[in-house]
Amino acid sequence: MPKKHRDSSPGLSPKSKRLKEVKNEFNQAVSRPTPSKVKERGLTRPKKTTQAVPALPTRQSLRIRKKDPSGELLPEPSSSEIYQTVDEHRTFRYFRQPALKAVGLKNINSLIASQTVYDSPRKIGPLEMKPCNNVEQTHSQEFIDELTVLANILEKSKENADDDAAIDPDVVSYKKAMQSLEITEGHVAKLVPHRIFSMAFHPAKYKTLVLAGDKWGNLGIWDVDSSKGDDGVYLFEPHSRPINCISFEPGNYGKLYSCSYDGTLRCGDFRAATFQEVYSFDDDDYSRFMYFAFGSPSSSTILAATDSGYVMVVDTRTNSKTIAEQSYGLHDKVIKCVDVHPLNRNLFLTSSTDGSVAFWDIRNIKNMKSKLSSLQRTRVTSSAYFSPLTGSQVLVTSMDDYVTINDVDASGIVSTAAKCCFRHDNQVGRWLTSFRATWDPKFEKYAVVGSMRRPRQIDIFSSELKSNALMHLTHENLNSVNSLNVLHPSVNMLAGGNSSGKVYLWT
């Protein structure tokens, strides 16, 4: 029997033994001390010094240096070349002329700081009609007295749009008249400190007065031809939240009504020089007024729309400030606009964030199903208005990027097929007031709305054109988006307001 080899490391294979040997050799090599680096003596090498290289001039193209390809200087462009008109189907950047310096409010930093507080309380009771801007008390009293005298004159002469037998001009004549409007020196004014939410003209022909309400409850009145105070601008504080709608009482231009997010409906009485409280929600009720309209069923009655989908009937002759005559729940969502038919005072319409425009008879409302007819849009309907003279058309602005005109008969039955359908960019974003297309109150078939196009412009529509705008009103001094635009009820004049509180007057 052969003898077995006796291993000195029993239990280990030859391969394992070899690995153990290699490991031991490696550990011995690592543990050896490394020789230290010998310090050199004697002459040392000179250190390399980098010389500062002078900076080369920045290269500029011939276009930046205003030179042609041959190196010759280009001539200075004329004003007509700097201000270019926009093509209807495209948008581009361009170089603008310096804008006119705005007149109006000055030194309002302290006022702005005091108002931009989200927990500012609601103003209660009657408020004194005293300007809060840089206006002397004597000038303020003179201005309020002028408004009172002006209202008396208008009442005696019955100077209003209904008495004027206005005949709609043809499209060519109207377009020519609108093209003659321009923004001249002194016709750009800072009317309110913050974003404009509502605008109106005083109906007087011989004295131009523009009114605007802003985001923090300020009401600005601009006497265009005056230079007293802040260039004829008088600023009041009747509310503490956005003023969504302002309007003079029909036939009584000494009273200016306003509604606000703060849940109050007020009347600015120029004769009494106070802002009277017409209606107010309870302190624990956080409902907001969104819009209002006069005249259903009488001129002393106001239809006030709320953010809870209700329309409240408020009689301005009663002393009750917290109880409405009637309250109708007409929509499940916010009512954005309400308007009364100019001839049939029992007929009114509402537009809502649910995308609907509904027509109602105030004599026959029981619930939401009592509507006479309705239109349905795919997105929020920002506004809807009857045509100003006959009420036979309704102008609708919606967030689906369309402005439409539909026929409506005297009984409140609206045609679902749009008579005119204008493609219009209504996406204004968070920081601009939503567009609201409005009629020219002097005529039956012309409307105006702001625009997002460049160069900045105002769009004019006619119900005689099916899908194209009548014209785009542009001017070199218009340098911002005018979200809200109103036309004078008796004169060829236009006012537009932007989100910084400025008003541009076209005359």
Side-chain angles (χ1 to χ4, degrees), residues 127-142:
L127 304 174
E128 184 181 1
M129 193 175 288
K130 182 179 179 180
C132 58
N133 60 321
N134 184 26
V135 178
E136 295 182 7
Q137 186 175 358
T138 55
H139 291 166
S140 170
Q141 188 59 47
E142 290 175 0

Side-chain angles (χ1 to χ4, degrees), residues 453-468:
R453 288 178 177 266
R454 290 181 182 270
R456 297 310 184 191
Q457 57 190 1
I458 309 296
D459 294 338
I460 310 293
F461 298 115
S462 170
S463 60
E464 293 186 356
L465 302 179
K466 300 298 181 182
S467 59
N468 296 324

Side-chain angles (χ1 to χ4, degrees), residues 189-410:
K190 178 78 169 177
L191 204 51
V192 287
H194 310 282
R195 191 204 319 180
I196 294 178
F197 271 67
S198 55
M199 289 186 66
F201 265 112
H202 192 284
K205 290 181 179 179
Y206 41 83
K207 189 176 184 64
T208 305
L209 295 168
V210 186
L211 302 92
D214 78 354
K215 178 179 179 180
W216 290 100
N218 298 291
L219 173 66
I221 305 178
W222 180 22
D223 186 354
V224 177
D225 299 323
S226 174
S227 59
K228 296 178 181 179
D230 283 339
D231 301 312
V233 174
Y234 300 84
L235 186 67
F236 304 94
E237 299 178 279
H239 297 278
S240 59
R241 288 294 182 273
I243 301 177
N244 290 325
C245 181
I246 52 178
S247 178
F248 286 94
E249 181 179 324
N252 185 0
Y253 302 119
K255 291 185 176 181
L256 175 69
Y257 285 80
S258 60
C259 71
S260 171
Y261 277 9
D262 63 8
T264 60
L265 180 65
R266 289 189 176 273
C267 170
D269 190 340
F270 298 120
R271 292 183 177 90
T274 57
F275 290 100
Q276 300 288 344
E277 191 175 272
V278 177
Y279 186 88
S280 176
F281 289 111
D282 295 333
D283 293 338
D284 56 349
D285 189 347
Y286 296 98
S287 297
R288 302 178 297 175
F289 282 118
M290 305 301 295
Y291 212 82
F292 72 89
F294 281 102
S296 183
S298 66
S299 59
S300 59
T301 305
I302 292 177
L303 297 182
T306 70
D307 64 339
S308 57
Y310 279 78
V311 169
M312 310 183 73
V313 181
V314 179
D315 193 334
T316 60
R317 298 168 295 185
T318 62
N319 294 324
S320 176
K321 310 301 182 186
T322 58
I323 301 176
E325 300 298 316
Q326 295 288 341
S327 182
Y328 302 110
L330 304 182
H331 294 270
D332 291 325
K333 295 186 177 181
V334 178
I335 297 178
K336 299 287 289 185
C337 184
V338 59
D339 193 35
V340 177
H341 195 282
L343 302 181
N344 182 5
R345 292 296 181 180
N346 294 310
L347 182 64
F348 70 96
L349 64 79
T350 55
S351 68
S352 173
T353 56
D354 60 13
S356 66
V357 179
F359 297 80
W360 313 85
D361 189 329
I362 198 169
R363 300 167 297 182
N364 186 27
I365 298 179
K366 296 180 181 179
N367 49 42
M368 295 183 185
K369 297 181 180 180
S370 301
K371 56 189 173 186
L372 303 173
S373 61
S374 65
L375 293 172
Q376 186 63 45
R377 305 294 287 272
T378 57
R379 297 191 66 184
V380 174
T381 50
S382 304
S383 64
Y385 301 101
F386 287 108
S387 54
L389 303 183
T390 65
S392 60
Q393 303 175 105
V394 59
L395 175 67
V396 181
T397 308
S398 174
M399 293 300 291
D400 60 5
D401 288 343
Y402 282 98
V403 175
T404 59
I405 298 176
N406 294 66
D407 287 325
V408 57
D409 62 19

Side-chain angles (χ1 to χ4, degrees), residues 82-211:
I82 295 175
Y83 182 74
Q84 304 175 16
T85 57
V86 69
D87 183 79
E88 187 173 353
H89 301 289
R90 64 189 180 93
T91 304
F92 60 93
R93 293 184 176 274
Y94 65 103
F95 296 98
R96 294 300 306 266
Q97 289 182 332
L100 289 180
K101 183 178 180 180
V103 300
L105 296 179
K106 305 177 185 67
N107 302 323
I108 56 174
N109 292 334
S110 60
L111 176 65
I112 294 175
S114 65
Q115 289 182 339
T116 53
V117 180
Y118 285 89
D119 57 352
S120 59
R122 175 193 298 175
K123 300 179 186 295
I124 301 174
L127 304 174
E128 184 181 1
M129 193 175 288
K130 182 179 179 180
C132 58
N133 60 321
N134 184 26
V135 178
E136 295 182 7
Q137 186 175 358
T138 55
H139 291 166
S140 170
Q141 188 59 47
E142 290 175 0
F143 176 67
I144 294 175
D145 292 341
E146 287 179 7
L147 293 178
T148 303
V149 172
L150 187 61
N152 295 333
I153 294 174
L154 291 177
E155 289 177 11
K156 292 179 181 180
S157 63
K158 295 182 180 181
E159 180 184 334
N160 53 57
D162 294 333
D163 293 337
D164 297 334
I167 300 175
D168 277 13
D170 59 80
V171 171
V172 176
S173 300
Y174 187 81
K175 185 175 181 179
K176 185 177 180 180
M178 296 302 292
Q179 286 176 336
S180 66
L181 298 178
E182 59 181 0
I183 303 172
T184 57
E185 185 77 28
H187 280 183
V188 180
K190 178 78 169 177
L191 204 51
V192 287
H194 310 282
R195 191 204 319 180
I196 294 178
F197 271 67
S198 55
M199 289 186 66
F201 265 112
H202 192 284
K205 290 181 179 179
Y206 41 83
K207 189 176 184 64
T208 305
L209 295 168
V210 186
L211 302 92

